[in-house]
């Protein structure tokens, strides 16, 4: 699951969908403009989460920073 930023309309979601589908190893993509999220199923032997994030950024969109604990990790702001 990728939390996105910078989408202005449903066309942006389509661009991100096409971008992620073009990454080798991606099996399924579902981008929601309303929730600003992308659900991506991929083969970890062919690609990785950092490469998916890089593809989104190269398409001109941003990955939103998670809130504390949102992704199961500390956000780094509390030192916890």
């Amino acid at each position: 699951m990728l939390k996105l930023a910078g989408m202005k309309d449903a066309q942006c979601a389509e661009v991100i969908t096409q971008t992620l589908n073009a990454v080798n190893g991606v099996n399924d993509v579902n981008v929601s403009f309303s929730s600003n999220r992308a659900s991506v199923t991929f083969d970890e032997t062919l690609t990785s989460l950092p490469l998916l994030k890089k593809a989104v950024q190269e398409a001109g969109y941003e990955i939103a920073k998670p809130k504390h604990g949102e992704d199961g990790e500390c956000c780094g702001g509390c030192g916890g």
Side-chain angles (χ1 to χ4, degrees):
M1 184 72 67
L2 297 173
K3 189 170 181 184
L4 306 168
M7 289 197 296
K8 296 180 175 88
D9 55 33
Q11 181 61 33
C12 295
E14 181 60 30
V15 169
I16 294 171
T17 298
Q18 292 174 2
T19 297
L20 290 170
N21 272 320
V23 175
N24 186 37
V26 169
N27 300 318
D28 187 54
V29 177
N30 184 357
V31 178
S32 171
F33 169 65
S34 62
S35 68
N36 287 310
R37 294 182 186 271
S39 173
V40 185
T41 305
F42 60 95
D43 182 338
E44 293 180 18
T45 64
L46 298 175
T47 192
S48 64
L49 191 55
L51 289 175
L52 297 174
K53 289 179 178 181
K54 182 179 178 184
V56 170
Q57 292 168 329
E58 287 178 351
Y61 299 94
E62 299 174 32
I63 303 298
K65 292 184 179 182
K67 295 178 184 172
H68 181 80
E70 183 177 52
D71 60 355
E73 302 290 329
C74 178
C75 64
C78 68

